[in-house]
Amino acid sequence: MRESSRPEAAFVLLLLQSLLWMGAGMSAIPFAIAGETAMAALGVATLLLAVGTCLIGIGVLWGRRWARRTAMILEAFCLAGSLLLLALPVGANHGLVAWMVNVGLPIALLVVLRKSAARDPALT
């Protein structure tokens, strides 16, 4: 029986998502320096989310069941929020990059993380 590479794929996708959130958090810091104090809290919260996502990815790579469940819950919330943001007319970016990062990446992670114990014993 061949071992699956789905945990490694999930780790890479979670690491990519973590890096994107880290970039978003770092880009909020200059606004905090310029006087927007709420952006400091938003930047720190985004950076903490990025670190947490990276740790969840490590847990998925190590085969921890809690990490897989947490990643699936996080991606479901990300997908729901992104679809809501794209559906409402609030001036959000509707370009191809926004669709790929905000919709495509969570869907890909949910597909990779779905449980299929009969076919993939690595994710049990």
Side-chain angles (χ1 to χ4, degrees):
M1 184 181 296
R2 160 177 100 79
E3 190 171 321
S4 173
S5 63
R6 288 170 68 186
E8 288 87 0
F11 170 71
V12 169
L13 290 173
L14 284 167
L15 190 64
L16 176 67
Q17 189 174 40
S18 175
L19 288 172
L20 291 169
W21 281 340
M22 193 173 296
M26 292 298 284
S27 66
I29 302 299
F31 293 102
I33 294 171
E36 290 286 331
T37 56
M39 291 300 281
L42 186 62
V44 169
T46 305
L47 288 173
L48 289 174
L49 181 64
V51 170
T53 304
C54 186
L55 293 175
I56 291 170
I58 292 170
V60 168
L61 184 63
W62 287 350
R64 304 293 192 255
R65 207 173 283 163
W66 65 266
R68 188 181 146 275
R69 277 193 301 257
T70 305
M72 290 187 74
I73 291 169
L74 175 68
E75 296 310 317
F77 277 123
C78 287
L79 184 61
S82 296
L83 290 175
L84 183 65
L85 187 65
L86 289 169
L88 295 177
V90 292
N93 189 0
H94 292 78
L96 182 61
V97 174
W99 276 92
M100 290 300 292
V101 170
N102 296 335
V103 178
L105 188 59
I107 288 175
L109 271 162
L110 285 172
V111 167
V112 169
L113 290 171
R114 75 183 187 282
K115 189 169 185 174
S116 175
R119 286 185 263 156
D120 193 3
L123 289 177
T124 58

